[in-house]
Amino acid sequence: MSLKKINTVLAATFVLFILWFGTEFILSPETVAPTFGLPSWPSGDGGGFLVVKGVRDVVMALVLGVLLVTGHRRALGWALLVEALAAYGDMANVLAHHGSVGTALGVHGLTATLMVVNGLLILRETRKAATATATPLPQPA
């Protein structure tokens, strides 16, 4: 299997996973919230913050999905790198609030790191294509 196919499968997996997780936070936040890793959850009107997290995830998945479907692979690589910061932020948030270390590292940290690896692999894959299509500068006479 080629590097491009592996990268595409990994990126598509991220799109689907993030989209699913975000949708779960929108539709049934009380069910999925305990799996996030924090020790306690907002009650009453504070539950709306869980939907905010879901909307963030859905938008992130849609950005990756659009870049993947339209073939903007270099932009997809950069977007994966940038969006990994959200997962690292979730990891830091869980750790800072004395949540589950296993979930922080095993879910959020691992997801972020795999996104970085996938982003870097896509940038590596597209680097040769970007240099090949670059127009050489005219040489002075």
Side-chain angles (χ1 to χ4, degrees), residues 15-98:
V15 169
L16 295 174
F17 175 73
I18 297 168
L19 186 62
W20 169 76
F21 203 68
T23 303
E24 287 289 310
F25 262 95
I26 293 169
L27 298 178
S28 58
E30 66 285 343
T31 305
V32 73
T35 66
F36 189 76
L38 290 173
S40 62
W41 289 96
S43 59
D45 291 340
F49 285 102
L50 300 175
V51 175
V52 170
K53 188 243 186 286
V55 170
R56 177 198 77 174
D57 285 354
V58 167
V59 170
M60 287 173 44
L62 292 175
V63 167
L64 294 175
V66 166
L67 293 173
L68 182 62
V69 169
T70 59
H72 291 90
R73 296 188 67 79
R74 192 144 184 85
L76 174 62
W78 283 109
L80 280 161
L81 292 177
V82 171
E83 288 189 11
L85 295 174
Y88 281 127
D90 290 345
M91 178 187 74
N93 185 26
V94 170
L95 292 173
H97 290 91
H98 310 291

Side-chain angles (χ1 to χ4, degrees), residues 3 5 29 38 58 61 65-66 68 74-77 84 92 96 103 113 116 118 128-129 138:
L3 180 60
K5 285 183 183 179
L38 290 173
V58 167
V66 166
L68 182 62
R74 192 144 184 85
L76 174 62
T103 302
T113 302
V116 166
N118 191 203
K128 291 177 187 172

